[in-house]
């Protein structure tokens, strides 16, 4: 008859910025065969993760639902014209995704002056809810929409060639089309312009000048 022996040894050391815990598990049987696994965790990992960035976009970027997917889901749930889509931490906690990730928030302009904010889960694409919003720039937005033949979904798909899209928004100040933000695999963020007529993607020079 086989038997299992499990020996767990945990040691902790007080270190600046956190401690280290190591656990050894040994399993054996009558034949003398044994396997050893070692797991190590460091209490300071969370602090180092925070130093890499706010983590908000990284959580949602790992999901399967793209910005274009979120826009399509939002419009199927709430008909209208999508004006923007972006990742939202949802600090209130009432619209968090199933895995605790940030959610997609899509702003939809409906009939008249009716605005809706639609939340979409980044993992499943499920619409978590929608609520009416009050906006005072409806006239400017409608004027900007008349000047573009490219939709928010199309702009998101075009910008996706440059990286993972974390936000897309109509520029209602003039005829500049859409603004998009992407995150590269290495974590670098870039801002882009999507032409209102052709959907051509170019670097956002205005953003570059702001950084100088």
């Amino acid at each position: 008859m086989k038997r299992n022996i499990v020996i767990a040894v945990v040691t902790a050391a007080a270190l600046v910025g956190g401690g280290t815990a190591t656990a050894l598990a040994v399993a054996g049987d009558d034949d003398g065969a044994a396997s050893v696994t070692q797991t190590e965790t460091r209490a300071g990992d969370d602090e180092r993760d925070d130093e890499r960035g706010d983590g908000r976009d990284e959580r949602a970027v790992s999901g399967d639902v793209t910005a274009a997917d979120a826009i399509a889901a939002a419009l199927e749930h709430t008909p209208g014209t999508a004006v923007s889509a972006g990742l939202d931490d949802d600090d209130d906690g009432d619209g968090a995704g199933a895995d605790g990730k940030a959610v997609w928030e899509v702003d939809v302009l409906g009939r008249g002056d009716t605005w809706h904010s639609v939340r979409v889960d980044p993992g499943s694409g499920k619409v978590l809810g929608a609520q009416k919003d009050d906006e005072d720039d409806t006239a400017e937005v409608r004027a900007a929409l008349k000047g573009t033949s490219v939709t928010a979904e199309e702009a998101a798909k075009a910008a996706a060639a440059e990286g993972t899209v974390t936000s897309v928004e109509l520029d209602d100040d003039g005829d500049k089309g859409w603004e998009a933000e992407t995150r590269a695999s290495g974590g670098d963020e870039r801002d882009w312009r999507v032409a209102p007529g052709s959907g051509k993607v170019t670097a956002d020079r205005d953003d570059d000048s702001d950084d100088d």
Side-chain angles (χ1 to χ4, degrees):
M1 180 175 64
K2 293 185 179 180
R3 59 189 175 86
N4 291 322
I5 300 175
V6 177
I7 302 174
V9 181
V10 178
T11 60
L15 302 174
V16 176
T20 301
T22 302
L24 289 177
V26 180
D29 54 30
D30 291 337
D31 296 332
S35 61
V36 179
T37 59
Q38 178 171 324
T39 303
E40 181 175 306
T41 59
R42 300 183 183 276
D45 285 349
D46 290 341
E47 293 178 3
R48 285 188 290 275
D49 288 344
D50 290 341
E51 292 175 356
R52 298 191 189 105
D54 60 12
R56 182 188 70 178
D57 293 346
E58 292 175 358
R59 289 197 301 274
V61 165
S62 65
D64 296 328
V65 179
T66 67
D69 293 335
I71 293 169
L75 293 178
E76 183 176 355
H77 180 274
T78 305
T81 302
V83 175
S84 69
L87 299 174
D88 180 50
D89 263 331
D90 192 23
D91 294 333
D92 294 336
D94 59 352
D99 298 328
K101 300 175 181 177
V103 298
W104 285 108
E105 184 171 308
V106 183
D107 290 329
V108 177
L109 175 59
R111 293 182 178 180
D113 296 337
T114 304
W115 286 88
H116 299 273
S117 178
V118 185
R119 299 185 305 279
V120 180
D121 188 284
S124 66
K126 177 182 178 181
V127 173
L128 301 172
Q131 65 182 28
K132 286 186 177 182
D133 280 343
D134 294 325
E135 300 288 347
D136 57 5
D137 59 348
T138 304
E140 292 85 348
V141 169
R142 289 201 179 281
L145 287 171
K146 288 182 179 180
T148 178
S149 58
V150 176
T151 66
E153 183 178 353
E154 291 169 342
K157 288 180 178 179
E162 307 297 341
T164 301
V165 178
T166 55
S167 72
V168 60
E169 182 177 6
L170 178 69
D171 185 352
D172 58 6
D173 183 16
D175 56 353
K176 297 180 180 179
W178 298 90
E179 299 173 333
E181 182 177 284
T182 63
R183 182 187 292 275
S185 58
D188 294 335
E189 295 180 346
R190 293 289 304 276
D191 292 315
W192 307 90
R193 292 279 183 179
V194 182
S198 64
K200 181 180 179 180
V201 179
T202 57
D204 188 343
R205 300 303 179 187
D206 291 343
D207 180 73
D208 291 341
S209 63
D210 290 340
D211 293 338
D212 293 338

